[in-house]
């Protein structure tokens, strides 16, 4: 009888490493089924009716793919997260986007605010300054839809004079270090309605 009990105990010890613990299975299942909140850096987009859209959804994690889908009238997302198309009707649309990573998927809602087309124009493009004196100006715009903040992007940073910067809010600042005239290309976007302008800095 003693030998029988000894053999049974050895058999149990030999099999136990080959059987994965139940808790490991539960943890793996939870990682697949528990949604990850905030998978995208930005989930709200302001667009303009009739203006071609070409933007990209920015995931917080690497190796993420998207399920291609229609999001709103005239708008789609592809597997790489590119938001594209031409909005057909004004309005606010909430659409789910399916995001997959490492074998698990979740849905996150996008808010697409499509505004009626309203023309706009830059308010100021020339800024005088002096060497060694602080600059404090703002490009700004006239017109466009109310409540929408325009964005300003320098498209050639080599054209910006030393000591000066143009921020994404259109603020021109810094202390010029030498005289000269600089023409800086800037892209202005208002709810997806974009145009390129040239900002002139005259430093004496």
């Amino acid at each position: 009888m003693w030998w029988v009990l000894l053999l049974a105990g050895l058999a149990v010890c030999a099999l136990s490493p080959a059987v994965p613990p139940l808790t490991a299975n539960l943890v793996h299942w939870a990682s697949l089924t528990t949604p990850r909140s905030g998978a995208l850096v930005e989930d709200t987009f302001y667009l303009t009716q009739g203006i071609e859209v070409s933007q990209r959804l920015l995931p917080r994690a690497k190796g993420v793919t998207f399920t291609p889908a229609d999001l709103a009238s005239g708008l789609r997302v592809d597997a790489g997260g590119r938001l594209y198309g031409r909005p057909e009707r004004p309005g606010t649309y909430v659409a789910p986007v399916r995001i997959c990573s490492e074998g698990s998927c979740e849905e996150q809602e996008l808010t697409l605010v499509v505004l009626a087309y309203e023309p706009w124009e830059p308010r100021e493009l020339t800024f005088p300054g002096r060497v060694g004196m602080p600059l404090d100006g703002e490009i700004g715009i006239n017109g466009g839809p109310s409540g929408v903040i325009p964005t300003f992007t320098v498209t050639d940073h080599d054209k910006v004079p030393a000591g000066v910067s143009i921020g994404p809010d259109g603020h021109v600042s810094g202390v010029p270090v030498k005289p000269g005239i600089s023409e800086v290309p800037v892209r202005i976007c208002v709810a997806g309605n974009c145009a390129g302008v040239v900002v002139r800095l005259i430093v004496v």
Side-chain angles (χ1 to χ4, degrees), residues 40 54-59 61-69 76-84 97-100:
L40 297 176
S54 183
Q55 299 191 39
R56 190 164 297 278
L57 306 183
L58 299 178
K62 295 182 179 179
V64 169
T65 60
F66 298 82
T67 301
R76 285 184 57 82
V77 64
D78 66 13
R82 186 172 68 96
L83 178 64
Y84 66 98
V97 173
R98 188 170 177 81
I99 307 169
C100 297

Side-chain angles (χ1 to χ4, degrees), residues 13-178:
C13 292
L15 288 174
S16 59
V19 180
L22 180 59
T23 55
N25 283 338
L26 291 176
V27 170
H28 179 66
W29 176 252
S31 68
L32 293 179
T33 57
T34 303
R36 301 181 301 276
S37 60
L40 297 176
V41 174
E42 184 180 5
D43 60 8
T44 301
F45 296 87
Y46 290 87
L47 313 170
T48 298
Q49 179 187 14
I51 300 295
E52 191 73 25
V53 176
S54 183
Q55 299 191 39
R56 190 164 297 278
L57 306 183
L58 299 178
R60 297 184 185 277
K62 295 182 179 179
V64 169
T65 60
F66 298 82
T67 301
D70 292 312
L71 301 180
S73 179
L75 293 173
R76 285 184 57 82
V77 64
D78 66 13
R82 186 172 68 96
L83 178 64
Y84 66 98
R86 192 186 298 269
E88 297 176 356
R89 291 189 296 272
T92 299
Y93 305 91
V94 178
V97 173
R98 188 170 177 81
I99 307 169
C100 297
S101 176
E102 298 179 353
S104 62
C105 297
E106 65 170 297
E107 285 191 348
Q108 179 165 339
E109 288 186 341
L110 288 185
T111 300
L112 306 171
V113 182
V114 180
L115 303 168
Y117 175 80
E118 292 188 33
W120 60 267
E121 61 182 6
R123 186 168 58 238
E124 183 61 57
L125 293 176
T126 301
F127 299 91
R130 291 182 177 274
V131 173
M133 300 295 292
L135 274 174
D136 186 15
E138 184 177 355
I139 301 173
I141 65 166
N142 290 324
S146 62
V148 177
I149 299 175
T151 60
F152 304 80
T153 305
V154 175
T155 57
D156 187 349
H157 289 275
D158 292 337
K159 298 292 182 65
V160 182
V164 178
S165 65
I166 299 176
D169 58 353
H171 187 210
V172 181
S173 61
V175 179
V177 298
K178 61 181 181 179

